[in-house]
């Protein structure tokens, strides 16, 4: 707790305008402060394995099955029972292919004729990775790109950036970076989102080329809810590549410099 307090005071000490006793009125004005919030939605499902990963797991399964002791089926199945028949069918397919994807039940696998087995297949059926939001390219839905981390971006003055709000020039003791960052999201997009602020301390700072604006970036996760576009603010949940494409659509030195900082805060 001591470190957090000291860090907060250090951040505010760096943020406050510095004045010396004999400073003239024509001295350059201090940079205006802004607070931005990096809101993320964590992946919902695991990423699909690559070709190398799939082959690695297939080889290990095949090696394990070849080295294991023969299965004592007489201890587990009654001779001539339906369970023994299902096991023999499964084991024959496993020995033939050594591939778990064809040996286990998948949504694309043909279903058995038995009504009980059909009910069992429905019970363990998995949802598709590609959702309706993916098919419709709805970037305002959280039900897209389930295997990727999504980041909240808003359109401001024709450019896509993180939700950002400027701190008041005459700051009161109650003004803070984390409250301002939260307001940068709730004011234009409503309060229907349950946001968890990772820390009250900024994780990065961005300064423009003219050194007139300094933006502190804080991080938060969305736990539930969705943004509301009632205020007319355009927003999107974007992957790292989509955010980069929209961020650098306006190719300016400030955009490139700020992206160099933000990209280090994003997941691969």
């Amino acid at each position: 707790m001591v470190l957090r307090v000291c860090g907060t005071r250090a951040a505010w000490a760096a943020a406050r305008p510095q004045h010396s006793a004999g400073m003239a009125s024509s001295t350059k004005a201090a940079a205006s402060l802004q607070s931005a919030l990096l809101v993320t939605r964590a992946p919902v499902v695991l990423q699909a394995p690559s070709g190398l990963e799939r082959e690695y797991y297939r080889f290990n399964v095949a090696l394990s099955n070849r080295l294991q002791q023969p299965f004592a089926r007489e201890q587990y199945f009654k001779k001539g029972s339906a369970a023994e028949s299902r096991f023999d069918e499964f084991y024959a397919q496993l020995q033939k292919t050594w591939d778990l994807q064809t040996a286990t039940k998948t949504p694309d696998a043909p279903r058995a004729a038995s009504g009980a087995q059909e009910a069992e297949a429905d019970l363990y059926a998995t949802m598709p990775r590609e959702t309706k939001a993916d098919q419709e390219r709805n970037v305002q839905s959280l039900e897209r790109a389930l295997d990727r981390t999504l980041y909240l971006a808003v359109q401001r003055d024709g450019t896509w950036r993180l939700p950002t709000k400027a701190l008041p020039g005459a700051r009161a003791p109650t003004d803070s970076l984390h409250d301002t960052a939260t307001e940068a999201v709730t004011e234009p997009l409503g309060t229907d989102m349950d946001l968890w602020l990772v820390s009250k301390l900024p994780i990065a700072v961005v300064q423009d080329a003219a050194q007139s604006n300094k933006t502190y970036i804080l991080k938060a996760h969305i736990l539930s809810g969705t943004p509301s576009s009632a205020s007319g603010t355009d927003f999107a949940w974007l992957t790292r590549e989509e955010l980069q494409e929209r961020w650098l659509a306006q190719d300016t030195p400030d955009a490139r410099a700020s992206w160099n900082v933000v990209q280090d805060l994003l997941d691969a």
Side-chain angles (χ1 to χ4, degrees):
M1 182 60 68
V2 174
L3 292 177
R4 170 173 286 187
V5 172
C6 292
T8 306
R9 290 178 178 174
W12 273 108
R16 291 172 179 168
Q18 304 296 325
H19 299 282
S20 57
M23 183 177 295
S25 59
S26 60
T27 305
K28 183 179 179 180
S32 61
L33 300 183
Q34 295 179 331
S35 190
L37 194 60
L38 178 64
V39 184
T40 67
R41 190 225 64 187
V44 179
V45 298
L46 294 176
Q47 289 190 2
S50 63
L52 177 62
E53 292 172 331
R54 192 178 299 110
E55 179 61 23
Y56 171 80
Y57 291 123
R58 189 207 63 80
F59 173 78
N60 278 276
V61 170
L63 182 62
S64 175
N65 281 276
R66 292 183 185 277
L67 296 179
Q68 70 181 356
Q69 295 293 329
F71 181 72
R73 69 184 66 190
E74 64 276 0
Q75 296 184 8
Y76 299 93
F77 304 110
K78 183 179 179 180
K79 187 68 173 178
S81 64
E84 184 184 31
S85 300
R86 289 198 300 268
F87 174 78
D88 290 340
E89 181 183 354
F90 170 81
Y91 196 71
Q93 187 179 18
L94 181 64
Q95 286 185 318
K96 181 179 179 181
T97 61
W98 300 113
D99 191 348
L100 283 180
Q101 290 187 349
T102 58
T104 56
K105 294 178 180 179
T106 61
D108 298 331
R111 296 181 179 178
S114 171
Q117 290 183 351
E118 283 189 10
E120 184 180 358
D122 290 336
L123 180 63
Y124 294 101
T126 57
M127 298 297 292
R129 284 179 169 269
E130 185 174 317
T131 63
K132 182 179 179 181
D134 290 320
Q135 298 172 356
E136 297 177 353
R137 300 183 181 275
N138 183 9
V139 295
Q140 292 189 346
S141 173
L142 283 168
E143 301 297 325
R144 64 179 298 265
L146 299 181
D147 60 343
R148 299 291 305 277
T149 300
L150 297 182
Y151 304 95
L152 177 62
V154 296
Q155 191 174 29
R156 184 179 177 185
D157 299 330
T159 61
W160 287 90
R161 295 292 184 267
L162 302 178
T164 306
K165 181 181 178 181
L167 275 77
R171 291 185 290 276
T174 55
D175 293 329
S176 62
L177 292 173
H178 59 275
D179 285 338
T180 305
T182 305
E183 293 170 358
V185 177
T186 58
E187 287 182 358
L189 300 178
T191 58
D192 294 337
M193 292 176 288
D194 185 8
L195 300 178
W196 174 60
L197 203 63
V198 175
S199 173
K200 293 183 179 180
L201 300 178
I203 58 176
V205 60
V206 178
Q207 192 165 10
D208 61 356
Q211 297 186 356
S212 59
N213 290 318
K214 185 179 292 185
T215 304
Y216 290 92
I217 302 176
L218 292 87
K219 188 173 184 180
H221 299 300
I222 182 169
L223 303 180
S224 62
T226 56
S228 173
S229 58
S231 63
T233 302
D234 195 7
F235 69 93
W237 292 100
L238 307 174
T239 63
R240 178 190 179 101
E241 294 78 14
E242 293 169 344
L243 181 60
Q244 179 180 8
E245 180 182 357
R246 300 198 183 197
W247 194 294
L248 298 179
Q250 186 179 10
D251 191 10
T252 61
D254 284 340
R256 292 191 297 268
S258 59
W259 174 251
N260 290 336
V261 177
V262 172
Q263 68 177 346
D264 293 335
L265 310 176
L266 310 182
D267 296 333

